[in-house]
C-alpha cells in the first residue's frame, strides 16, 4: 500500500491500518476471552522478539542465516507457528506483533530520523514472516502427524499377539 497520511508528525502507511483492522477483527471473532488474551500476549512477545532481533542482529553476525531479514522472519515466524495453531490467529498475532515491533523501533529511533510506520521494508518483512510462519506451521503439523504414526506402529509391534492394522 503506497498511500500514507501524517498523523501527529508521524507518517503512517495504509498497511498499518489494514493489518490493525484485520487483527482486531480476528480478535473480536475469537470465541473466548482467554483466547483473546492469549493472542494479545503472544503478539507482545512476537513484537518484542522482532524489535530485539532488528536492533541486535548486526552485533551477532554468526546467527544470521541467509540475510538479516530472513533470520528475523524465520525466527518470528517459527514462534508464531509454534504458539498459535489456527491460521487466522497466526496472521492476527503476527500482524499485531510486527506492528508493535515497528512502533517500538520507530520510537527508539525518533531522534535520529522521522517516525515512519509501515513503509515498504516493513511490508516486505511482514510477507516474508507470514510465509515463514505458515511454512513452519505446515512442517510442524507434518512432524506431529508423522510422530503419531510412528508411535502407533511401534506400539502395535511391541504388543504381542495382536495383528497390525493396515492404514
Amino acid at each position: 500500500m503506497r498511500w500514507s497520511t501524517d498523523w501527529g508528525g508521524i507518517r503512517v502507511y495504509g498497511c498499518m491500518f489494514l493489518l490493525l483492522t484485520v487483527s482486531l477483527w480476528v480478535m473480536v471473532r475469537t470465541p473466548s476471552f482467554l483466547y483473546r488474551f492469549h493472542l494479545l500476549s503472544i503478539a507482545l512477545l512476537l513484537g518484542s522478539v522482532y524489535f530485539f532481533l532488528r536492533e541486535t542482529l548486526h552485533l551477532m553476525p554468526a546467527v544470521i542465516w541467509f540475510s538479516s531479514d530472513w533470520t528475523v522472519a524465520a525466527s518470528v515466524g517459527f514462534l508464531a507457528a509454534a504458539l498459535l495453531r489456527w491460521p487466522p490467529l497466526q496472521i492476527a498475532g503476527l500482524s499485531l506483533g510486527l506492528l508493535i515491533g515497528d512502533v517500538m523501533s520507530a520510537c527508539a529511533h525518533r531522534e535520529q530520523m522521522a517516525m515512519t510506520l509501515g513503509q515498504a521494508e516493513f511490508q516486505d518483512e511482514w510477507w516474508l514472516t507470514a510465509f515463514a510462519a505458515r511454512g513452519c506451521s505446515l512442517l510442524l503439523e507434518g512432524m506431529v502427524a508423522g510422530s503419531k504414526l510412528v508411535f502407533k506402529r511401534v506400539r502395535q509391534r511391541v504388543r504381542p499377539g495382536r495383528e497390525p492394522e493396515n492404514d
Side-chain angles (χ1 to χ4, degrees):
M1 299 187 116
R2 295 182 183 181
W3 64 272
S4 65
T5 183
D6 285 329
W7 192 30
I10 303 169
R11 172 139 310 214
V12 181
Y13 284 85
C15 74
M16 297 295 271
F17 297 117
L18 178 66
L19 292 177
L20 188 61
T21 302
V22 168
S23 299
L24 292 176
W25 182 75
V26 169
M27 283 185 76
V28 167
R29 302 278 305 187
T30 302
S32 168
F33 174 76
L34 186 60
Y35 281 142
R36 290 182 195 139
F37 193 67
H38 180 65
L39 180 63
L40 184 60
S41 65
I42 288 175
L44 289 170
L45 172 69
L46 294 176
S48 62
V49 168
Y50 175 74
F51 173 71
F52 170 75
L53 287 174
R54 284 193 51 189
E55 293 295 316
T56 60
L57 206 56
H58 64 279
L59 300 173
M60 309 176 289
V63 179
I64 298 173
W65 296 325
F66 299 113
S67 69
S68 60
D69 291 336
W70 172 248
T71 303
V72 171
S75 301
V76 174
F78 179 77
L79 272 175
L83 297 173
L84 296 166
R85 293 184 61 187
W86 194 41
L89 285 179
Q90 275 183 1
I91 297 300
L94 190 69
S95 297
L96 277 176
L98 266 59
L99 289 173
I100 290 168
D102 197 39
V103 168
M104 290 170 64
S105 182
C107 289
H109 298 288
R110 69 176 171 251
E111 286 87 23
Q112 290 89 12
M113 63 182 78
M115 288 183 70
T116 306
L117 301 174
Q119 55 199 8
E121 292 86 17
F122 172 80
Q123 295 174 38
D124 292 342
E125 288 174 356
W126 184 88
W127 279 109
L128 187 60
T129 308
F131 284 126
R134 294 304 305 143
C136 286
S137 182
L138 292 174
L139 283 173
L140 288 173
E141 287 177 13
M143 288 175 21
V144 167
S147 298
K148 285 180 180 179
L149 182 63
V150 166
F151 180 72
K152 181 180 174 183
R153 298 283 171 120
V154 167
R155 195 174 82 193
Q156 287 175 351
R157 296 205 187 249
V158 170
R159 290 184 180 174
R162 289 194 72 180
E163 191 71 27
E165 298 175 10
N166 292 332
D167 289 330

